[in-house]
Structures are given as C-alpha cells and as structure tokens.
Amino acid sequence: MKFNTKTIHGGQEPDKAYGSVMPPIYQTSTYAQSTPGNHKGYEYSRTHNPTRNALENAFASIENGNYGLAFGSGLAAIDAVIKLLQPGDEVLSTNDLYGGTYRLFTKIFEGFGIKFRFIGMGNASNIENYVTEKTKLIWVETPTNPMMNIIDIKAAAIVAKKHHILLAVDNTFATPYLQQPLDLGADIVMHSATKYIGGHSDLVMGALIVKDKELAKRLYFIQNASGAICGPQDSFLALRGIKTLHVRMQRHCENGKTIAHFLKTHPKVGNVYWPGFEDHPNHAIAKEQMSDFGGMISFTTKEDSYEGAVKVVEKLNIFTLAESLGGVESLAGHPASMTHASIPKEDREKTGVKDSLIRLSVGIEDIEDLISDLKQALD
C-alpha cells in the first residue's frame, strides 16, 4: 500500500465479532476464561486490549515497522526506551530537544546511574567523537524542538551500527507522512501521538515502532511490567486521527510554507526557523530525508526581549496560546517560559532558545485568516 492508503487500511481489518469497520472501543479491564489460561487472546487490558492492538498495528504500518506499542504519553514511551539500559550506560542526545525529554533524562534517569551527553548533531560525523564503550543509545530529534534543526538520520545510523548502538528517533514533528526513520536505519521511532497523529488536541499518548523482533519483545515486556499504557477510548481517538493524517499534513505543510515566507519578510521579525528555507542549516538533508517541511515554525522578534515576545503571543486571536502542537487548530507558544522552562536558561540559550523565541504550530485554517492574525499581533 501507498502511505495515504495505509493511514486508512494499514494493519486494519473489520472487527471479527460483527464486522465493524472501525475497531470498537473495548472498554473492559478483563476477559472471561473458560479454564485457567484458556481465553480468546486477551486476559487483562494492561497487557493487551483489542482497541489498543488495532492502534499498535496501525502505528507499525504507517512507519513501515513490524511492531507498534502505544503508551499513556510520549514521555511514557521515552521512559520505556531508557529502561532498556543499565546503570553505567551512556546516552548521546541532541542538545536541542524537547524540555520534557531533557527533564526525564536529567532529573529521573541520571539518578539511576545512566549518563547523558548532550551534543550538537548538525554534523552527524561529530557523533562518533563522543562514542565510548559505555554508549548504548543515540537519541535524535529531527526536526528539533523548537529550533527546527535537521539531523542526518542515515549518517547517525551508520555510526550506531558501526558501534552496535541503538538509534532512536523522535519523529513527532515530521510524522511518518514526511519522514520514516526506520527506512533510514533507525532502530526505534518514537512519537508523541498527542500531537499530529491524534491531530485534534483531544488525547495524550505515546508510540514506539520497531522492526526487530527481539527488541520488540523487550519493549513489550517493559510496557506490560511498567504499565504506562493508554486506554481504549484514547486508542479509538488516535485510530480516527490516523485516518486523516495525510490530508491534514498536506494542509499543515501548505500553510506552514506560506507563513514562514510571510514572517521572513516582516519588518518586526528577526530570525525565522523553518527547514524549507534554502539557507536553513542542513536544508539539503531535510530535502533528502523528508517529503515536505512541515507546519512547525519558530521565530524571534527584532525587539529581542522576553516582554516583546509575550506581548505578541498575548495579542493573537486565531492562534491559541497553549502548550502542545500538531492539532488542526493553530497554536503559539513561548518555549523559554513554557515547553522548555525545565532547561536552565544558560543551556537553552546555547542552542538558540532565546527569551524572544516564539514557536508556531500552524493549523489547517484558511491561510488568509492566519496571516491577518499574525499581522495584527506583530503590528
């Protein structure tokens, strides 16, 4: 199947009970057994649930993987990946990443003896300089949050395979519509499915997708043992979201391109960060590994102050000032005080996350209305 068909049919089949086209919501915690151990494939919903299984099959299909796992949040999915490691192991992570990931790494897992090194990965060959015999995982975001930096997944995979290290890619911003890291050599793909995959700002969920059977077994064990699963209602909503992922992403990309070019020529805007610009760092790599450039944009104001950025986001009407991203509605955020507040100011600013930075998640509204809203807020 081609991608657009996969979003609707991939990994799916009509429900076996009555032929329901959409997987039913199996809102149950347990399942009847005729004798101990004799059941219809389901014992307890932490371990397996038919609605969640349908979603996990869909995850695997759209990322060209063999195994999908659904979690209660994106951070729960990341948590499961780090639980593959042991005290003393090291992780190489991009130094420009989501603040919640940074907090999980440094405030939780460093306390259990896992070491994290945050490095620039704009030049993927730089990664190998930091590999030691204790390095077990390379953690990549691309495009990164919120600076939209592009990391060469193929090049990172070459380093990982050479040293027998796992490569995990947070594919939340790109989605499988734009980029499929498993095909580029990654071992694990992670999504905050709260974002574009759900697409309607009505659920919180994480996803992992892998190809390797043994790795999948280890992750399924962690998923069941730790129990950070999502419920059947949210699984149903995510399945519904996936069915329109391709058409939503097409509009996100169209609107994102128009707004990026509008911002670049606005007299009160400083820098604009969007991978589609030819002068964006690693634009050529983005063009090679992505099919389009997405609907996420960050920019600074020429005033270059915390107060100035806050004033802009407070004046927006159609863009909603809110955490998160990837919904059909346009959202605006101030990373320094919102999504990345958990990262120390000095570390934030080293990667470009200044107090004047504003991040936009461009929705699928009429582009004229979005441009007008930005104009009045900036002017």
Side-chain angles (χ1 to χ4, degrees):
M1 292 182 191
K2 301 292 186 183
F3 183 82
N4 294 356
T5 308
K6 275 186 175 183
T7 61
I8 298 168
H9 300 287
Q12 303 301 299
E13 57 184 32
D15 180 65
K16 290 173 182 171
Y18 299 104
S20 171
V21 172
M22 277 300 290
I25 302 170
Y26 282 90
Q27 195 70 51
T28 184
S29 61
T30 193
Y31 306 83
Q33 302 185 31
S34 58
T35 190
N38 189 358
H39 49 77
K40 297 180 180 180
Y42 299 92
E43 299 171 89
Y44 187 58
S45 278
R46 172 171 39 76
T47 308
H48 297 105
N49 175 280
T51 316
R52 193 175 87 232
N53 281 6
L55 173 62
E56 291 174 333
N57 290 339
F59 282 157
S61 174
I62 59 176
E63 277 288 7
N64 290 339
N66 297 322
Y67 307 94
L69 299 90
F71 293 84
S73 69
L75 283 167
I78 299 170
D79 178 90
V81 173
I82 305 303
K83 284 174 180 171
L84 293 167
L85 308 178
Q86 299 293 325
D89 289 346
E90 291 183 358
V91 178
L92 296 181
S93 170
T94 177
N95 61 355
D96 166 29
L97 79 168
Y98 168 53
T101 307
Y102 178 89
R103 181 179 56 216
L104 179 68
F105 288 174
T106 59
K107 302 300 182 185
I108 302 296
F109 282 105
E110 276 189 352
F112 295 109
I114 296 172
K115 184 175 181 180
F116 296 87
R117 306 177 84 179
F118 299 94
I119 62 173
M121 293 184 178
N123 181 355
S125 63
N126 183 49
I127 298 171
E128 192 163 19
N129 297 331
Y130 294 89
V131 173
T132 73
E133 59 182 16
K134 293 184 177 179
T135 308
K136 304 298 180 186
L137 173 70
I138 298 171
W139 185 268
V140 167
E141 264 184 31
T142 183
T144 61
N145 181 3
M147 299 307 298
M148 312 301 156
N149 288 319
I150 300 298
I151 296 167
D152 189 333
I153 298 172
K154 274 186 182 176
I158 289 169
V159 174
K161 284 175 172 50
K162 178 180 175 181
H163 295 278
H164 308 289
I165 300 167
L166 288 173
L167 173 63
V169 177
D170 181 340
N171 202 30
T172 299
F173 272 25
T175 81
Y177 176 82
L178 301 179
Q179 176 175 276
Q180 293 173 322
L182 294 179
D183 290 348
L184 298 170
D187 299 292
I188 302 170
V189 173
M190 194 288 296
H191 285 278
S192 173
T194 310
K195 314 302 194 298
Y196 285 108
I197 286 180
H200 294 77
S201 302
D202 55 7
L203 61 90
V204 175
M205 184 182 292
L208 295 177
I209 304 97
V210 302
K211 283 189 174 181
D212 182 75
K213 186 176 183 179
E214 289 307 310
L215 179 57
K217 278 184 180 178
R218 292 170 65 195
L219 288 167
Y220 281 127
F221 178 86
I222 292 167
Q223 181 193 40
N224 183 48
S226 294
I229 50 96
C230 59
Q233 176 72 38
D234 282 351
S235 297
F236 176 86
L237 290 171
L239 275 162
R240 185 183 65 174
I242 287 171
K243 288 184 183 294
T244 60
L245 177 63
H246 55 301
V247 290
R248 287 187 286 106
M249 287 306 299
Q250 183 178 346
R251 178 59 69 87
H252 285 301
C253 291
E254 290 168 358
N255 282 355
K257 180 179 181 179
T258 303
I259 285 178
H261 284 275
F262 160 75
L263 290 170
K264 196 159 191 178
T265 58
H266 196 284
K268 293 191 177 179
V269 171
N271 295 319
V272 183
Y273 303 97
W274 178 67
F277 290 132
E278 288 188 5
D279 60 354
H280 186 85
N282 283 349
H283 167 75
I285 293 168
K287 201 171 179 181
E288 183 181 336
Q289 69 186 21
M290 299 170 70
S291 60
D292 208 328
F293 303 109
M296 296 301 301
I297 302 164
S298 292
F299 70 96
T300 58
T301 59
K302 278 191 177 164
E303 183 183 327
D304 198 23
S305 70
Y306 181 101
E307 294 75 18
V310 169
K311 201 176 290 183
V312 171
V313 296
E314 285 178 345
K315 286 181 180 176
L316 291 166
N317 295 318
I318 294 175
F319 280 86
T320 302
L321 176 59
E323 299 274 359
S324 200
L325 58 105
V328 292
E329 65 289 315
S330 292
L331 300 176
H334 182 243
S337 63
M338 297 169 71
T339 54
H340 290 65
S342 59
I343 300 177
K345 180 180 172 71
E346 185 181 341
D347 293 339
R348 281 200 310 265
E349 293 191 341
K350 281 179 186 174
T351 60
V353 186
K354 302 166 72 176
D355 284 351
S356 63
L357 189 76
I358 295 168
R359 190 191 73 184
L360 301 180
S361 171
V362 181
I364 64 172
E365 301 94 338
D366 280 315
I367 190 62
E368 293 84 359
D369 293 328
L370 297 178
I371 295 288
S372 295
D373 193 32
L374 287 167
K375 270 183 182 174
Q376 64 82 24
L378 286 163
D379 295 341

